[in-house]
Amino acid sequence: MKKKIQDQIVEDALLREVVEDVKNEQLQQIWNKYGLYIIIGIALILTATISFESIKAWREKKDQELSNSYSIALSLHNQGRLDESLDLYNSLAKSNSGIYDDLAKIQIANVYFEQEKLEDAINVLETMLKDSGTVDQMKKIAALKLVSYKLDNNAPADEITTLINSISDDEELSDIAKEMTAMLYIRENDITKAKEEYQKIIASGTAPDTLKSRALDMINLLSEK
């Protein structure tokens, strides 16, 4: 509000200055020739300022509404009111709002998994991976969820490896990718390679202590076999 008042003061001062210049006989001819362009210029500046402020205010209000809707949907989800939360998630998923519609799609997949609608859940996640509009980090989260599901359901190893490779170059997720790879090797009965992946986690400078501890436990467990 303060900025708008300051802008208005500046604009009023500019208009007064123009009027005073018009009264000056030496500038009368200039005004007669260019006055219309000055007025148009001022109008364009004012329009641009108003448009920018209006869009900014609308965007802030829209973001707050989306945030509130997502929070309500998440609360309903946590209460086990899956159908109600799904309605809100679906609404957000169609909002074309970037991060919120991607978050909503992840949660839609979660609801479908909980409802044992496995094909629907997989379809949501795979569609996110194919969609060029999906935020990159959300694609990687979708890939992680798919890896977890496919590991538990004996999907072909090459499918799982492809998904793991899509997240292995992410610094924040690379160590989790190593753990997923180790789990795949265990599933394929390649214990030596599984232990190698866990050793990489232990030697990693970015892996959290909890992940390193879990990797060490797995190496000890696999060494007993």
Side-chain angles (χ1 to χ4, degrees):
M1 179 64 72
K2 182 178 179 181
K3 183 178 183 301
K4 289 183 179 180
I5 294 173
Q6 290 175 337
D7 289 344
Q8 187 63 54
I9 292 172
V10 171
E11 291 157 9
D12 290 345
L14 178 60
L15 288 171
R16 283 197 301 271
E17 183 178 344
V18 169
V19 172
E20 289 299 320
D21 286 344
V22 171
K23 294 178 180 178
N24 190 316
E25 292 182 1
Q26 294 180 344
L27 298 179
Q28 187 66 55
Q29 291 182 346
I30 296 176
W31 175 258
N32 290 339
K33 188 174 183 179
Y34 299 109
L36 178 60
Y37 299 105
I38 294 172
I39 293 171
I40 292 174
I42 293 171
L44 289 173
I45 292 170
L46 290 174
T47 301
T49 301
I50 293 170
S51 298
F52 175 77
E53 292 296 334
S54 298
I55 292 171
K56 182 180 177 183
W58 174 83
R59 186 70 229 182
E60 289 175 351
K61 181 181 178 182
K62 190 70 175 177
D63 286 345
Q64 187 60 53
E65 289 174 352
L66 291 168
S67 177
N68 291 342
S69 295
Y70 182 77
S71 296
I72 293 169
L74 199 59
S75 177
L76 291 170
H77 189 171
N78 291 335
Q79 294 172 42
R81 297 160 67 178
L82 301 183
D83 289 334
E84 293 174 76
S85 67
L86 193 58
D87 287 341
L88 274 175
Y89 286 141
N90 278 317
S91 178
L92 282 166
K94 298 173 183 176
S95 66
N96 193 30
S97 60
I99 190 66
Y100 283 107
D101 58 13
D102 288 338
L103 283 170
K105 289 170 187 173
I106 292 289
Q107 296 296 350
I108 288 170
N110 288 340
V111 171
Y112 284 149
F113 277 128
E114 291 178 49
Q115 294 176 330
E116 297 186 356
K117 297 178 180 178
L118 303 182
E119 288 187 10
D120 290 334
I122 296 303
N123 182 59
V124 170
L125 296 173
E126 289 182 342
T127 300
M128 289 183 71
L129 293 181
K130 296 173 185 176
D131 187 355
S132 60
T134 303
V135 175
D136 187 56
Q137 201 66 12
M138 291 295 102
K139 279 189 177 184
K140 291 174 180 177
I141 291 173
L144 273 175
K145 294 188 73 64
L146 280 171
V147 169
S148 179
Y149 172 79
K150 289 176 181 289
L151 275 170
D152 287 342
N153 290 273
N154 296 312
D158 57 342
E159 287 184 19
I160 297 172
T161 300
T162 298
L163 287 167
I164 292 173
N165 288 340
S166 72
I167 62 175
S168 60
D169 61 343
D170 187 292
E171 184 176 346
E172 294 181 355
L173 300 177
S174 60
D175 294 309
I176 297 176
K178 293 183 183 75
E179 184 177 36
M180 294 290 191
T181 302
M183 292 171 67
L184 177 60
Y185 283 136
I186 292 171
R187 197 195 75 174
E188 300 298 305
N189 293 315
D190 194 337
I191 304 304
T192 299
K193 287 187 176 179
K195 289 166 71 174
E196 288 174 358
E197 292 299 319
Y198 285 125
Q199 288 287 3
K200 291 177 184 177
I201 294 172
I202 293 171
S204 171
T206 57
D209 291 339
T210 52
L211 181 53
K212 288 184 177 183
S213 178
R214 189 162 66 241
L216 182 58
D217 288 342
M218 288 302 299
I219 288 175
N220 292 335
L221 181 63
L222 293 172
S223 297
E224 295 175 1
K225 292 184 178 296

